[in-house]
Amino acid sequence: MFFSCTEEWLEPDPLSFLAPENVYVNEAGFEAILVTLRKNLQYESTGNRHPLSMEHATSELAIPLVQADFRRNTPSNSAFFPFLSYFENAYEFIKNANVLISRIDQVVWEDPQVRNRLLGEAYWHRAYWYYRLVHSYGDVPWIGVELSGAKLDFQTHSRWVILDKIQGDLELAAEWLPIEAATLGDVTKGAANHLLAKVSLANLDFDQAIAASTEVISGAYSLMNERFGIDAGNDSKNVLWDLHRFQNINNSQNTETIYSTIDRPDAPPGTWSSGTYTMRWYSPSWWKILDGTGNRACNWSTPIGDTLGIGNGDVRTNDYWHYKIWEDANNSWDETPDLRRSANNWIEMGDEIAEILNCRAGSPQLGQPLTKELYGSLVDTTDTWFPWPHYKTFVPTPNNRLPVGGQGDFYVFRLAETYLLRAEANFWKGNLGAAADDINRVRERANAPLVSPADVTIDYIFDERARELYTEEPRHTEMVRASYIMAKSNLYSYTLDGFSEKNWYHDRVMRLNFHYQEPRFQWFGNTAAIDPYHVLWPIPQSVITANTLGTINQNIGYDGTENNIPPLETINETI
Amino acid sequence: MPSTGKFFLLFCMLLNFVAISPLSAFQANQNLTVSGTVMDGSNEETLPGASIIIKGSTIGTVSDIDGKFSLNVPNPETVLIVSFIGYISKEITVGNQNEITVNLVSNAAELDEVVVIGYGTVKKRDLTGSVERINADAFQNQTMTQLTDMLTGTVAGFNANQSTSAAGGSSLEVRGPTSLNAGTEPLIVLDGVIYKGSIQDINPHDIESMDILKDASSAAVFGSKAASGVILITTKKGKSGKPTINYSTRMGISEPASARRPLGPDDYIQFRKDFFRTVFPNTAYHFYTNPNELPTDVSVEDWRNYGDNPLADNNREYMSRLRLFPIEQENFLSGTTTDWYDVVMRRGTRQTHDLSIGGGADGFNYYWSIGYTDNEGIRVGDEFSSIRSKLNIDFDVTDWLSVGLNTQFSDRDESGVPASMGFYSNSPFGREFDENGNLERLPHGHTFHPLIDNYRTSKLRKVNSLFSILYAKVALPLGITYSISFQPRYETMKDLRFISTDIRFGGSPTEDLSQGTRSEYSHYEWMVDNLLKWNKQIGIHSIDATLLYNSEETKRWSSDNSNINFFPTEELGYHALQFGNNPALSDYDYRFTGDAMMARVNYTLMEKYLLTASIRRDGYSAFGLQNPRATFPALAFAWQIGDEEFFDSELINRMKLRLSWGVNGNRDIGMYASLARLGSNLWYDGTKQRVGVYNSSLSNAGLRWERTESINLGLDVGILEDRIDMSFDYYDMTTTDLLMNRILPSITGFNDVTSNLGELGNHGFETTINTVNYSDKNLTWRSSLVFSLNRNKIKNLFGDIGEYTLLGQTQTGEVPDYSNQWFPGQAIDVVWDYEMLGVWQENEADEAAVYGMRVGDFKAEDVDKNGVFNELVDKQFIGYERPRYRFGFKNDFTFLTHFTASVFIRADLGHIGAYSPALNAGFESNDRRSRNVGPVPYWTPENPINDYARLDVSTSGYGGGLMVYKSRSFVRIQDLSLAYALPSHLAQRLKLNNLRVFGSVRNLATFTKWPHWDPESGASPMPRIFTTGISLSL
């Protein structure tokens, strides 16, 4: 101790954390990376103004309530929804996959199947995030290996070369991944094929998209047509209610789930996400409605609040989603047999009164429906008054007193979407009959009137996606995917060159979302506005600025595009 | 201020000339006998050994052990010159007195004082480096919670800002920032050994003196961590003789030095109107007007018709248009309001008591003290108390062996839960308590009560520490001494918290979950110093050599436990976390090691030429992968020019030139920074918990020490028998191999990587001028003026050469780090932002629209006038965030023998600070939850000001964002004190050695344009502290 002048004396001695050298040495070590990647997927559908809620708020179905003015959304500024941070987070998850991909062959594998399963799943995760990036941001830098030092000369790659790359990776993943998960959470061949179908569609490889989705549909999956699971005995409910209970998503009877996140309120606290927040972002602040005394008629902290949630109206939906999308030649929205709009699956907020009853002890209106009349000149019911599909949003919140929507499994891919993907691929190929067949499989289960081949349009397909996949799909991403398909095929006079000035996404939003039509919606200093270039979100200025030795392109329309250079058309893996 | 300083200096010199009387003639008769006593005028102690000489002759005598003398003088006109080293000489005309008492006043230089340097001491006159001494005595009339209270602005080149909390403390920095990322706090050396504990654990009342090593050569003996300077602390020791007991007590109050009140009721209502009119421009203007205050052309009927569905009662309708909550409506109608400033801010009491016993006998001395401090901050819930004890014992066992113990114990209580400073979002029409007397959780119906955490959190936070120095010193042959010391330090911390859902405290069983946490650590570190010293005088040569071997180890073990949702009762609080339903645990331990060797020689030739040379080699485990050790050399030279024969000046009695060079290191980064680490997370796969990993940091095996090389040029001058003592220092420091967290583009998946890159320069100038301005029997007036300035510059960053855009120009050279705002060639603290021109006024609507802005938004300079605010083009260098000039000016007065008074004025000048409230940030909705910016002016069409923007200001047109800066310059009367010492004959009648009463004020007045709380603390309220006290000794 007194004379310790040896080199050993000064060796660093990490005590409470792990290091790469002693973890990435065997299957268990690499599996631990996959565990992180599976947890990373929860980012999409949990916590504060999560990405999936943003994907709906930026669609034709809704506005992002507190930032409906897209012109305020700049490369340096994104007030509430994660327009900028999504970009950075996706790359963090890609980094995790790249560590596995780069290190897998530093270990000698006795059983190549073990290596292939690990690598296949890492490919799948990486493809998942790149798929989202090239639709949210267009052309982006490709990073495909683990970085070992400071790198500041990134360059933007063309989205098409990235799509080629991940399509190839997914073909390998579909070959290597198991049909059935050995442990819940393992990515399967079905999930690989489903994602491959999406990527192929985006890449205009419709045959591959049909082949991959057919692999799934003819595989071990089938739509749930019968009641099942936790509420199966409750006669007032129906199969769509059952399908969307978080306890049922990985129920062994559920044959529709292809892949989901896993997140359980009764698991150890360290494993929890912050919750699905479905009862926060998608529903109105009904609990702010006042009674005749000026007090809240039924606050969120009452028993009914546990069921309805503490809505905040961030995804402020519109009349198109509430009513028009459900109407057809024979049925109005409140008469449709479609279970997805049935009275017991939705909470109604009518013109004057709501389905919710005043529940404040001592209120003169106790037991009467909430009404706008007593709300007086508090004028604005924008954030407090709109109907919503409760069967999709209800997730109990046992671990948090605020009923925001607690921990729960959440669908990533579900077979109903596979049908709609195959329908879309067939539509692009002109096979309207095949497209109608697939759509009708989904409609049939929902007890909705069937569609005839002549009525199948790309708009109809996206209406159907909304009806079936609200809260589940990355809606903005899917709309941008279709927009790119039309632009690249020069359909309906769309072009790639003019993508930032005219695209299907913007046209559809402007056509169906009355908030953006004159007189434009105005709320707390925001006047709703969306321009064609908002089809893509801004690349964060901080990333462009920190990349001092290279050029990452900004999307056309945003400030800072003068330094853009043509995107790379090939991937050089030795970056 | 500079011109005031000059004037002051002239004034002092003038006074001094007046004080020296013209020569009088010498007369030869020697027939009178005069006797007398020479005394120190400040403490009434006698001075033995003072010389008394008849002016114009060589005849004289020396005072004896009791300070007495007797001398024959020729006649009553004889003038005696009485002098003593360290004191200002005095001339006395004998006259018809035959018994004379001469009170001497110590001079400004105090050259014989022994100053502590690393691993030794030296007389101040023999210093070769730049060392500043602080005597704790000078602060005995003030309130002190931490030793840093003595350092705020009082030492040239020592940058310290006061803390605003009850616990006190301050930032510490010597000369300038020598690093971009590693720590820049100076090293603390306590009674000769490196001290790594908290300075909070050192009782300032145990301190005898502090010496601050500013230049590299003085600090280089501490090599590894000395790049940011060194503070050497010497604590009190017992003196031989009978025990002396000292007791002092200080009582005081603290109050906010400035009041930043939220909007009052009327302003608040006006604010609501202005806000709604801004965000709903299409709504009729008078929709928000009080129906009783409508202009003549708007009828109440019109007013009612502005709304779709008005309430029957106009007042209710008006309040609902302003979106007042039910509680607000009731209080608005009844005129009941709450000023949340008064709820949160308070006048706090403070007390400090210190008791010590010191004494000694042959071969033995001791000092023991215990001190208790209990402070209330100016915010409700901000509380701090501590008990600190110190024991110093030294034994001379034989004539060749001495041993000793120097130990301190401290018990800090940091259990306070301060009120929230976000009270600006609470409505003046809210209420503190509900009708049942429970704390109103949401005082106006939304937004938490600022005291809710203070009420519902039970917290116990205790830090205990024990630090000891155990030493033995052996005298070896040939004048060599060997000493060894062992310094263990133990620290334990407990932080226990429980948040209750009790409705009496604003909790809500339906809305909250009870939560408990227990965080604890225990910490152990030790250090061993082996020292060999050799001291030899050979003729005109004097040599002093020192050799050191040191090693150290530090370990910590920490655990966190938490749980939530306690059943069936919350009664047990944090004492029983097992009764919740979701326990979680987390542990973190660490260990690091180091060692060092050092050699130093001090060589003096003819007492005029002084040379110091040293070399130190350090090892540290954080750099253990490839570069565990580094070497730090230093050289210093001083020349007593004043002692040279050619130097002959009436005015200047002393002059010394100092020149030093040295290299120091900085190891203050994370101990594991060179390693790649895996982060981990937990995930559940439906049946079991699984651990996931991910790479959380990039490794850098080549990480090494940051090195600061500096030169110091110093000049010490004594004028008029050291009535004026001046020191000037110029330094230039260059730091290379900067330890930096190099920012990476976030798409790498990492924020940064710790690297050694770049070069940073600091140079600056400091001066200290001490003067005795006036002294006579009834008044002594001393001043001390300190001034410093430091300029720093980033010389190199990462070495990435390329083409880049800055200030609108394409340049070639080293690429800046825009993310950190580090620009090669600029200072670290340079502010790069838009140059604010004002606010777009009504007649500039079209121009504003070009930038996507509205009238009332901020208007900045568009450098290239292209209609877009692009940061690389339009941001400019608009100022600096650190003071450009720092002044401290202290005046001490002793008057009527028993009174002392002191005033300290401080100024930090020339810098700006970010004032984010000016952006009026915070999304406003009808519940106004996030608007807590305080009383910030805003633009309206009726009040078209030009320095603050409208409400709901839009800054999204500013690429890279926008920040508003305001001047932070200030001048403050920081300390004022007055004391009275009971005359000793009266004190002795009370059986006391002495008795003193005193009072002081800290932060009496501040002059500034800074709009936030305080220019020194920025965004937190600065306390003004009044203290009175009494101190006595037996």
Side-chain angles (χ1 to χ4, degrees), chain A residues 271-313:
Chain A
T271 68
W272 294 341
S273 77
S274 51
T276 62
Y277 275 76
T278 43
M279 301 209 289
R280 182 73 172 157
W281 313 135
Y282 297 106
S283 46
S285 306
W286 55 272
W287 45 275
K288 286 184 188 166
I289 303 288
L290 305 181
D291 69 7
T293 67
N295 286 292
R296 283 179 185 164
C298 194
N299 208 352
W300 59 265
S301 51
T302 53
I304 190 72
D306 292 346
T307 313
L308 298 183
I310 178 167
N312 202 48

Side-chain angles (χ1 to χ4, degrees), chain A residues 10 18 37 39 42 50 225 255 336 372 438 502 575:
Chain A
L10 296 177
L18 301 166
L37 285 165
K39 191 175 177 88
Q42 294 175 350
H50 52 61
N225 292 307
T255 53
T336 181
K372 283 185 179 181
D438 278 342
K502 184 169 170 57
I575 51 170

Side-chain angles (χ1 to χ4, degrees), chain B residues 8 42 105-108 110 135-142 154 769-776 778-785 889-895 899-905 975-979:
Chain B
F8 166 74
S42 63
V105 175
S106 60
N107 67 28
E110 301 181 21
N135 281 311
D137 270 358
F139 296 86
Q140 62 182 347
N141 298 334
Q142 287 173 211
T154 53
I769 301 173
N770 298 313
T771 56
V772 180
N773 303 330
Y774 186 79
S775 64
D776 74 5
N778 288 324
L779 175 67
T780 309
W781 170 28
R782 294 161 174 274
S783 296
S784 170
L785 176 73
F889 181 36
K890 188 168 195 228
N891 285 283
D892 291 297
F893 304 90
T894 306
F895 55 101
F899 288 92
T900 54
S902 165
V903 57
F904 178 66
I905 297 167
D975 291 294
L976 182 68
S977 67
L978 176 68

Side-chain angles (χ1 to χ4, degrees), chain A residues 251-417:
Chain A
N251 180 308
S252 59
Q253 296 170 47
N254 187 341
T255 53
E256 194 167 328
T257 306
I258 299 172
Y259 196 71
S260 82
T261 63
I262 307 163
D263 184 20
R264 304 284 167 81
D266 51 354
T271 68
W272 294 341
S273 77
S274 51
T276 62
Y277 275 76
T278 43
M279 301 209 289
R280 182 73 172 157
W281 313 135
Y282 297 106
S283 46
S285 306
W286 55 272
W287 45 275
K288 286 184 188 166
I289 303 288
L290 305 181
D291 69 7
T293 67
N295 286 292
R296 283 179 185 164
C298 194
N299 208 352
W300 59 265
S301 51
T302 53
I304 190 72
D306 292 346
T307 313
L308 298 183
I310 178 167
N312 202 48
D314 291 86
V315 182
R316 174 51 165 99
T317 43
N318 55 27
D319 63 328
Y320 186 69
W321 166 246
H322 302 153
Y323 310 121
K324 291 183 188 149
I325 203 171
W326 307 101
E327 290 168 356
D328 58 42
N330 305 314
N331 300 296
S332 64
W333 67 270
D334 52 350
E335 292 160 349
T336 181
D338 193 333
L339 291 173
R340 297 170 299 191
R341 189 62 181 88
S342 71
N344 45 8
N345 279 340
W346 279 59
I347 300 295
E348 228 48 65
M349 307 279 276
D351 278 349
E352 294 306 328
I353 59 164
E355 187 180 325
I356 305 163
L357 304 183
N358 180 316
C359 70
R360 187 174 73 84
S363 172
Q365 289 86 30
L366 181 62
Q368 297 171 22
L370 303 187
T371 168
K372 283 185 179 181
E373 196 172 336
L374 300 168
Y375 209 36
S377 272
L378 279 193
V379 204
D380 225 319
T381 49
T382 301
D383 60 335
T384 54
W385 201 279
F386 57 88
W388 79 96
H390 183 235
Y391 79 113
K392 288 257 179 168
T393 61
F394 173 53
V395 179
T397 319
N399 298 319
N400 178 351
R401 283 280 187 262
L402 295 176
V404 291
Q407 294 78 27
D409 295 3
F410 204 89
Y411 287 118
V412 176
F413 296 148
R414 178 159 69 83
L415 186 64
E417 190 191 22

